[in-house]
Amino acid sequence: MIPALSAFIGLIVLAWGVGIPALDSAAGALPWAVREQALYLSGLLAIGLMSLAMVLATRPAWLERPLGGLDRIFRVHKWAGILAGVFAALHWLIELSDDLLKSIFGRGERPHGEESGGLLENLREAGEELGEFAIYLMLAMVVLSLLKRFPYKFWRHLHRAMPVLYLMLAFHAAVLAPVEYWTQPAGALLALLLAAGTVAAALSLGGRIGRERRVHGVVTALSSPAPDITEVTCRLDGEWRGHRAGQFAFVGFERFEGAHPFTIASADRGDRSVRFQIKALGDYTRQLSNRIAVGQAVTVEGPYGRFVLGRHDRQAHQIWVAGGIGITPFLAWLEALHAHPDEAPAADLHYSTRDRAHDPFVARLETLCAGLPSVTLHIHDSSTDGLLTAERLSALHDARQRAEVWFCGPRGFAEQLRAGLARAWGRRLRFHQEAFELR
């Protein structure tokens, strides 16, 4: 995530730097020239990152390979939006510094604004007003996105306004950019970003995001293996492309509720049947078992994700770790390997549960692993054994051997394992994590 955003920001700064005019060092001119260039650079970074966020919001499947999956794409999208808000706020503060500079340096040889009139002048005035209004709203959206206590069901609807805010900011950037920019690298890059962002905004407003990967189906089976787990099996129509074990999809049971991402907990058997194990983690999922029924229509968009077994390093020891509902992609892995047991790698599957005796997945895991001799199952019951830690995990494996960890579970659990295992294995360890978050 960090390298991708750093490279993108570096590209914008480079384009700005190539076309920056020479600063006039005459008395009183330098502070104003610096302010002007800071205003341009902060504006370029704000609209550039906002354009990137808009493009990534369209769920571009072609970027999954270079960025490592849709979960990583959404993380870049999130931080691009946050940084866009930071630079937009900086841009606004620099604009307000006019009176401060006057009081310190006087008007001096302040850079003159571009001469314009008629329609262009009216467009510039409209662009200034729209931009200021949109910046206030965008900053409010960024704050709400960071407030986890703000209910997702409300945030999701507010977030739909982002394409409109983007178009307002794009108009602001287009009409207020210096005329000479359009013949320089900064202008070419700005034009490309505005075009891409505008197309993405139009796709979002038109409800076309993910439409080519969306299929319809019906719920064929429904059960509750545990009080907080809803198991849903769906049969999809002929347009379903199939999936790889470990991938996820956006599932919509109700039109106005929208789609939610769930890991596909079953292997692809070629019959267009998919199964989801949905844990009650929020208002929607807690009520789900009472809101759906067998025969009900369902919409599934996908599949997405790169948490797939085919990417494993065949030269490294495989350590698979799941916490709670994070076991779902591994259930799909094990089912898929049952069809081709000779392809199963030597692996240790560690499943951390709060109560082994009442866990609905333990018996299923034991049955699946019994048919795969190369996969060793380890059940860690936190109620009796305490939490699974990096130290306990390291003690069970040879840290001198190259290892590859695949993890799916709570974020805090992942962070402590990643840090602890890195200390034990160093560069001999690779850590893969499904890190999907909608906000």
Side-chain angles (χ1 to χ4, degrees):
M1 179 189 73
I2 293 177
L5 277 177
S6 297
F8 185 80
I9 290 173
L11 177 63
I12 294 176
V13 173
L14 178 62
W16 164 81
V18 168
I20 186 173
L23 296 179
D24 187 353
S25 59
L30 185 60
W32 291 104
V34 170
R35 172 187 178 274
E36 182 178 70
Q37 292 305 318
L39 193 66
Y40 292 157
L41 177 58
S42 59
L44 280 172
L45 288 169
I47 195 63
L49 287 163
M50 192 67 176
S51 299
L52 175 63
M54 285 303 308
V55 171
L56 296 181
T58 63
R59 303 170 192 164
W62 57 276
L63 279 178
E64 284 204 272
R65 181 182 293 273
L67 292 184
L70 190 62
D71 57 326
R72 266 65 177 187
I73 290 176
F74 267 61
R75 289 180 71 181
V76 176
H77 161 81
K78 171 185 174 180
W79 284 103
I82 291 172
L83 289 175
V86 170
F87 285 115
L90 180 61
H91 182 75
W92 174 65
L93 290 173
I94 294 172
E95 176 65 30
L96 294 180
S97 69
D98 186 275
D99 291 337
L100 178 62
L101 286 181
K102 285 180 186 177
S103 65
I104 297 175
F105 301 104
R107 295 192 62 86
E109 296 183 24
R110 182 179 180 183
H112 296 288
E114 295 175 290
E115 295 295 332
S116 58
L119 178 60
L120 181 57
E121 181 62 28
N122 291 334
L123 290 175
R124 286 181 177 276
E125 290 179 1
E128 286 184 0
E129 294 179 3
L130 279 177
E132 183 176 359
F133 177 69
I135 284 176
Y136 295 149
L137 294 179
M138 187 181 77
L139 292 177
M141 285 295 303
V142 170
V143 171
L144 291 177
S145 296
L146 295 175
L147 292 176
K148 297 297 184 181
R149 292 187 178 182
F150 187 75
Y152 172 77
K153 60 183 179 181
F154 298 129
W155 176 86
R156 182 174 62 86
H157 292 294
L158 289 175
H159 198 63
R160 290 178 176 175
M162 288 305 293
V164 176
L165 295 183
Y166 172 80
L167 292 175
M168 294 166 66
L169 291 169
F171 175 73
H172 169 87
V175 299
L176 291 177
V179 173
E180 61 268 21
Y181 258 31
W182 302 112
T183 60
Q184 297 174 357
L189 180 59
L190 177 60
L192 178 63
L193 291 171
L194 291 179
T198 300
V199 170
L203 290 174
S204 178
L205 292 172
R208 301 190 61 85
I209 293 178
R211 179 173 291 184
E212 71 282 358
R213 302 174 72 90
R214 197 177 305 154
V215 301
H216 299 284
V218 295
V219 175
T220 57
L222 186 65
S223 64
S224 295
D228 60 345
I229 301 290
T230 301
E231 181 178 283
V232 184
T233 303
C234 306
R235 177 66 58 83
L236 307 179
D237 64 27
E239 295 182 3
W240 177 247
R241 307 176 184 182
H243 70 279
R244 299 172 68 186
Q247 291 188 299
F248 65 88
F250 290 89
V251 185
F253 297 103
E254 298 172 299
R255 179 180 177 184
F256 295 105
E257 173 60 33
H260 293 252
F262 300 116
T263 298
I264 302 172
S266 57
D268 190 339
R269 302 183 183 280
D271 59 356
R272 304 193 308 278
S273 179
V274 293
R275 185 171 64 252
F276 302 96
Q277 302 282 356
I278 303 172
K279 187 176 178 63
L281 296 174
D283 293 341
Y284 174 72
T285 49
R286 277 194 292 267
Q287 302 170 10
L288 187 61
S289 61
N290 298 321
R291 299 173 65 169
I292 59 176
V294 173
Q296 180 173 330
V298 63
T299 301
V300 175
E301 178 195 326
Y304 294 105
R306 299 272 295 163
F307 197 86
V308 292
L309 185 59
R311 295 179 59 215
H312 75 282
D313 183 351
R314 299 180 184 277
Q315 304 303 315
H317 180 63
Q318 295 295 302
I319 302 175
W320 306 341
V321 185
I325 199 63
I327 194 61
T328 50
F330 298 108
L331 289 173
W333 282 19
L334 295 174
E335 281 193 15
L337 289 174
H338 259 263
H340 305 281
D342 55 314
E343 297 180 4
D348 286 89
L349 172 57
H350 297 266
Y351 175 47
S352 180
T353 175
R354 293 181 178 179
D355 185 357
R356 174 173 182 158
H358 298 92
D359 190 292
F361 300 121
V362 170
R364 178 63 175 159
L365 287 170
E366 290 175 337
T367 300
L368 289 170
C369 290
L372 298 169
S374 64
V375 179
T376 303
L377 176 64
H378 307 264
I379 304 294
H380 302 272
D381 189 338
S382 61
S383 65
T384 58
D385 307 327
L387 297 175
L388 176 61
T389 63
E391 291 72 23
R392 287 179 58 192
L393 199 58
S394 300
L396 296 172
H397 302 286
D398 185 359
R400 295 170 299 178
Q401 182 183 5
R402 196 171 77 185
E404 187 174 50
V405 175
W406 292 80
F407 175 90
C408 188
R411 182 175 178 181
F413 187 17
E415 290 174 352
Q416 70 94 356
L417 281 184
R418 183 192 293 268
L421 295 177
R423 288 192 295 268
W425 264 271
R427 295 185 178 181
R428 295 183 297 278
L429 178 78
R430 291 185 64 193
F431 194 101
H432 301 271
Q433 176 189 358
E434 186 79 293
F436 192 88
E437 290 184 334
L438 277 179
R439 56 181 292 190

